[in-house]
Amino acid sequence: MGLLEDKVRARKFYKYFSKVYDRINPIFYSQKMLEKVVEMAELSDGDIVLEVGCGTGFTTYGISKKVLQENIFAVDLTPEQMKKAIDRLPNVNYLRCDAENLPFKDDTFDASISAGSIEYWPNPKKGISEMARVTKPGGRVVILAPRKPSNPVVRRFAESVMLFPSTQQCISWYDSAGLENIRFVEMGPNRLWSKLVVIISGEVR
Amino acid sequence: MRKDIVDILACPVCKGDLELTVEEEKNGDVIKGSLECKKCSEVYPIEDGIANMLPPELREKV
């Protein structure tokens, strides 16, 4: 059991982490990754988009370049992080909810996106199924997840803090959620750390 | 919270339809109120314009 797999601990961690988050986050989550996430969601004008785990709104901002803020539904567990997102993008629809129990009707969104959040979900398989459920057939579910580090020492440390799914693991969750046409890319912030994250996209049947 | 989004919202637990009660509004947006599930009767609060749609057991914990 990692330190942040528990939702209460994740909530507390982020309450304090939110103060420095915007300064630390760009090291691990680059502009290039953000662009790839949005591109893989295949958004069009007028699409209604869900973002799970909006945090301070870094990804939300990327989505708002493609669709109107009014068409974006950004959800998070923590209100502290969300405050920054609200300041940045005041016309987005914000809700507090749990990724594994989404409060939306079936087939609601044209695409669902979650970047840098899955590592805190105790049951990622359920979270992905929920994203698939609320997305319309033909729409895409896109997730950016940190990869399991290949160095065993680094991996041991990382796994004590968060849950790091492997690319294979993500694909199997996508499969069990009934997602099709699965595509993925592994990316990193620089040449030395070129496979830090996996961005995976699947189509709802 | 925009009033019309109730149409796409569902109870996070049983996925039932919700009924909106407005206690305070500003420029057509709900500032304070609640959403009640028509199926399981669970009530979700809306505070400072944001609906708290966490399942009841998580709402108390986080």
Side-chain angles (χ1 to χ4, degrees):
Chain A
M1 181 76 171
L3 209 63
L4 290 176
E5 281 172 53
D6 183 277
K7 280 170 203 174
V8 180
R9 278 182 289 182
R11 164 88 170 73
K12 277 190 187 147
F13 175 76
Y14 270 109
K15 192 172 172 179
Y16 299 104
F17 193 43
S18 65
K19 293 181 170 67
V20 290
Y21 188 83
D22 275 348
R23 266 176 283 165
I24 294 171
N25 201 40
I27 306 168
F28 304 105
Y29 183 20
S30 67
Q31 189 65 33
K32 249 187 181 163
M33 293 180 200
L34 166 65
E35 282 163 16
K36 197 73 193 169
V37 165
V38 175
E39 181 197 314
M40 286 174 82
E42 298 174 5
L43 304 178
S44 318
D45 280 353
D47 277 359
I48 311 288
V49 183
L50 170 68
E51 190 200 353
V52 179
C54 65
T56 58
F58 183 73
T59 310
T60 325
Y61 178 73
I63 300 168
S64 76
K65 296 269 179 191
K66 290 277 176 188
V67 301
L68 287 173
Q69 285 189 38
E70 288 80 356
N71 288 3
I72 303 171
F73 288 77
V75 305
D76 208 294
L77 197 62
T78 57
E80 285 81 13
Q81 296 265 86
M82 206 184 260
K83 265 178 211 145
K84 287 192 179 176
I86 297 169
D87 289 344
R88 204 183 278 191
L89 303 155
N91 297 322
V92 165
N93 301 284
Y94 295 95
L95 293 167
R96 266 189 86 185
C97 77
D98 177 34
E100 294 160 13
N101 297 282
L102 292 175
F104 301 102
K105 289 182 179 159
D106 296 0
D107 308 338
T108 295
F109 300 99
D110 296 289
S112 295
I113 295 170
S114 182
S117 177
I118 192 173
E119 62 272 29
Y120 307 111
W121 305 355
N123 187 348
K125 194 175 164 184
K126 193 180 173 204
I128 293 169
S129 303
E130 274 290 88
M131 285 176 78
R133 177 184 68 79
V134 301
T135 307
K136 294 175 191 167
R140 291 223 153 238
V141 172
V142 180
I143 283 173
L144 175 143
R147 290 181 69 254
K148 202 186 271 269
S150 46
N151 179 311
V153 179
V154 177
R155 186 166 62 218
R156 239 175 118 183
F157 169 73
E159 283 180 335
S160 73
V161 188
M162 296 169 199
L163 175 81
F164 285 91
S166 67
T167 299
Q168 268 314 313
Q169 180 71 79
C170 289
I171 292 171
S172 94
W173 288 330
Y174 264 59
D175 257 340
S176 34
L179 293 159
E180 291 177 338
N181 297 324
I182 298 167
R183 298 176 203 142
F184 70 89
V185 283
E186 289 165 342
M187 287 179 86
N190 53 50
R191 225 180 300 165
L192 291 172
W193 212 354
S194 63
K195 286 184 175 182
L196 177 68
V197 300
V198 56
I199 306 169
I200 178 160
S201 167
E203 194 182 321
V204 177
R205 251 195 296 238
Chain B
M1 193 194 91
R2 246 164 56 198
K3 281 183 198 165
D4 62 342
I5 72 165
V6 177
D7 298 340
I8 64 160
L9 293 178
C11 173
V13 181
C14 76
K15 314 298 179 194
D17 288 351
L18 300 165
E19 191 162 338
L20 173 69
T21 305
V22 182
E23 284 174 41
E24 190 190 330
E25 63 175 279
K26 197 176 161 188
N27 307 323
D29 287 341
V30 186
I31 303 299
K32 194 171 162 54
S34 61
L35 292 155
E36 185 178 348
C37 179
K38 292 179 190 172
K39 215 163 126 191
C40 74
S41 304
E42 189 55 55
V43 179
Y44 301 92
I46 304 167
E47 277 160 13
D48 298 325
I50 295 172
N52 185 342
M53 302 305 291
L54 290 171
E57 73 276 9
L58 265 179
R59 199 190 307 151
E60 276 140 43
K61 276 205 281 181
V62 296

